[in-house]
Amino acid sequence: MKMLRWSLFFLFSVCVYSQPLDVSVSAKSALLLNAENGKVLFEKNGYESAFPASVTKIATALYILETKKQALDTKITASSDAIAIAPRSKKRIPYRLEKDTAHIGIKRGEVLSIESLLYGMMLASGGDAANVLAEWTSGSIPEFMVQLNQYLNRMGCTQTHFVNPHGVHDASHVTTAYDLAKLTQRALQNPTFRKIVSSVMFTCPPTNKQPKRIFSQTNRLLKKRNASYYPFAIGVKTGYTVPAGHTLVAAAEKDGRLLIAVVMGAEKSEERFADARRMFEAGFAEQKISRQMFGKETHFSNKIEGGEKALQASLRENITIEYYPSEENEIQSKVQWHECQFPLSVGDCVGELHLVSGNQVIKKYPLFASEPLQGTFLFKVKRFCKKLF
């Protein structure tokens, strides 16, 4: 008679309760996210609807990079529709550019590479570059928006709805700080995206319409000899419209920890950078806490059919977990018993203890028999009879 194979049961479930970071931010909403595990370290109105302005372009860039996957030197010709400025007297088309919005001066019929358009969109915040890329990606800008919103919904950004690829204000063009942080978490996993948004400048080669020109980064966290410079910053994007205020999605990496800060609705440009710095500094100042979950003296028991008593098992090491105080986490443990046969001796490996967070197994620890175990007399008789017949 054998033990049950892959016998699973919960031993315990424990919440490691978080201690949110103590940060003062001036913006209407803000959020700090650990990019490795998606844990929210701090939030202020982080789940409330807000206007994103040009940080919209993070979604546009990531969708294009993930779906098209074409060589960056692929050439695109700008149409008149993509670069058109909306007349103030006419009913507004959601994706149409406005006179005072950021652009890189693309001309009708100008041929630019995907790389130049991506840098122009993400560094210089060119709304015209966003429109040209969107039209090329999906055949039309309205179709691009349908596809982009479906993509964002599949990603879990369920409180986000965009009506244009660049962030020019529209009452129905909304998101949340949390959705932007989750979007950026995914975007930073793309090497091309990460390289672009961490660049300070880009030289756009000459085109059929214009000589070479320089696209400069608008994110002051990345620019040395600037009061807002933050040495650990690696991106990502700024934004501004009157209704949205000053917005910022920023990322910083220090000692192997990657954090994402989102700032929405700052009254002044410099305030968004100061808010992001304060969140980063509070996050990086955290020290991990160590907590023992099981000791070597802990015993695990399993009643096995045919055994003269319950199986007793133990660990050979203490089990501890480490976590940051601001990151709430629910840890569960499971025992997975191995298939074994009687007799069992002390020290036989009889199973594993799994620590689980969400659907992910964090670590596995072997369990060893702490007492010998024989089958009952009846079990031995049955086994003997099976061998005979």
Side-chain angles (χ1 to χ4, degrees):
M1 183 70 67
K2 296 181 179 180
M3 297 184 184
L4 291 177
R5 188 179 181 88
W6 310 126
S7 174
L8 300 179
F9 60 89
F10 286 103
L11 285 177
F12 81 115
S13 178
V14 60
C15 281
V16 179
Y17 292 106
S18 65
Q19 302 170 21
L21 294 176
D22 184 13
V23 187
S24 175
V25 297
S26 60
K28 292 180 181 178
S29 64
L31 187 139
L32 185 68
L33 186 91
N34 184 331
E36 270 80 33
N37 57 26
K39 300 294 182 182
V40 175
L41 284 63
F42 168 83
E43 65 92 11
K44 173 186 176 184
N45 303 323
Y47 303 94
E48 294 186 4
S49 184
F51 300 126
S54 282
V55 295
T56 299
K57 297 180 176 87
I58 296 171
T60 299
L62 179 60
Y63 179 69
I64 291 168
L65 288 170
E66 286 200 347
T67 57
K68 296 300 285 188
K69 297 181 180 178
Q70 298 234 5
L72 293 181
D73 60 358
T74 300
K75 296 297 191 288
I76 301 175
T77 302
S79 72
S80 56
D81 184 58
I83 65 172
I85 304 294
R88 295 188 182 276
S89 59
K90 291 187 177 182
K91 184 178 179 181
R92 190 175 175 282
I93 299 172
Y95 64 84
R96 191 70 77 218
L97 302 172
E98 294 182 350
K99 185 177 181 181
D100 299 325
T101 55
H103 60 84
I104 58 172
I106 298 174
K107 300 182 182 300
R108 179 169 60 89
E110 186 171 2
V111 180
L112 298 102
S113 68
I114 294 175
E115 181 180 46
S116 293
L117 289 166
L118 285 171
Y119 275 97
M121 178 175 69
M122 298 306 292
L123 268 63
S125 204
D128 48 356
N131 272 353
V132 171
L133 283 165
E135 185 180 69
W136 168 77
T137 300
S138 304
S140 73
I141 299 171
E143 179 57 27
F144 177 84
M145 297 318 303
V146 171
Q147 295 174 5
L148 178 62
N149 283 310
Q150 291 172 345
Y151 168 80
L152 292 171
N153 191 264
R154 290 194 302 269
M155 193 189 299
C157 299
T158 57
Q159 302 305 309
T160 297
H161 178 76
F162 291 154
V163 299
N164 61 59
H166 38 65
V168 169
H169 179 70
D170 188 282
S172 57
H173 188 95
V174 294
T175 187
T176 66
Y178 177 73
D179 276 8
L180 286 172
K182 294 295 288 184
L183 169 66
T184 305
Q185 179 188 21
R186 177 161 176 163
L188 289 172
Q189 296 171 15
N190 185 295
T192 301
F193 179 92
R194 189 160 174 165
K195 179 183 176 182
I196 291 170
V197 299
S198 63
S199 301
V200 176
M201 64 176 57
F202 175 79
T203 300
C204 179
T207 70
N208 61 322
K209 297 282 187 176
Q210 299 190 69
K212 72 175 182 179
R213 52 203 190 273
I214 303 296
F215 300 145
S216 295
Q217 176 67 254
T218 59
N219 183 355
R220 296 180 197 169
L221 294 175
L222 295 172
K223 304 179 83 168
K224 295 181 179 179
R225 297 185 295 277
N226 181 289
S228 297
Y229 174 67
Y230 187 60
F232 306 108
I234 60 169
V236 176
K237 186 74 186 75
T238 63
Y240 173 75
T241 65
V242 173
H246 295 274
T247 62
L248 171 68
V249 177
E253 190 169 25
K254 182 181 179 183
D255 298 330
R257 195 179 190 201
L258 177 59
L259 302 180
I260 297 167
V262 181
V263 179
M264 310 283 283
E267 291 186 4
K268 297 179 180 179
S269 178
E270 61 269 20
E271 288 177 355
R272 58 185 164 177
F273 301 115
D275 283 346
R277 282 182 60 112
R278 281 192 289 270
M279 285 191 283
F280 285 141
E281 287 170 355
F284 290 135
E286 281 194 298
Q287 298 296 317
K288 278 189 174 181
I289 293 174
S290 180
R291 177 177 176 182
Q292 182 172 306
M293 309 303 290
F294 293 100
K296 290 186 290 186
E297 70 282 357
T298 306
H299 287 274
F300 304 87
S301 180
N302 187 28
K303 182 65 178 175
I304 304 168
E305 183 180 356
E308 60 183 7
K309 59 183 179 179
L311 169 66
Q312 300 297 319
S314 60
L315 299 156
R316 286 185 176 170
E317 60 182 309
N318 296 327
I319 296 179
T320 60
I321 60 170
E322 290 187 334
Y323 60 95
Y324 290 103
S326 63
E327 297 182 12
E328 183 177 352
N329 204 0
E330 182 173 315
I331 306 273
Q332 294 176 324
S333 73
K334 299 178 182 179
V335 167
Q336 183 166 299
W337 298 104
H338 291 171
E339 181 180 352
C340 303
Q341 289 188 333
F342 300 126
L344 290 171
S345 302
V346 173
D348 287 349
C349 186
V350 294
E352 290 180 331
L353 176 67
H354 294 184
L355 292 188
V356 182
S357 178
N359 295 321
Q360 182 179 3
V361 176
I362 301 172
K363 203 160 185 182
K364 301 177 182 180
Y365 300 88
L367 290 173
F368 301 94
S370 54
E371 297 177 0
L373 183 60
Q374 298 280 350
T376 62
F377 177 75
L378 181 59
F379 170 80
K380 293 175 182 178
V381 170
K382 288 181 178 178
R383 185 168 62 178
F384 179 75
C385 292
K386 282 185 177 181
K387 288 181 180 180
L388 288 177
F389 301 101

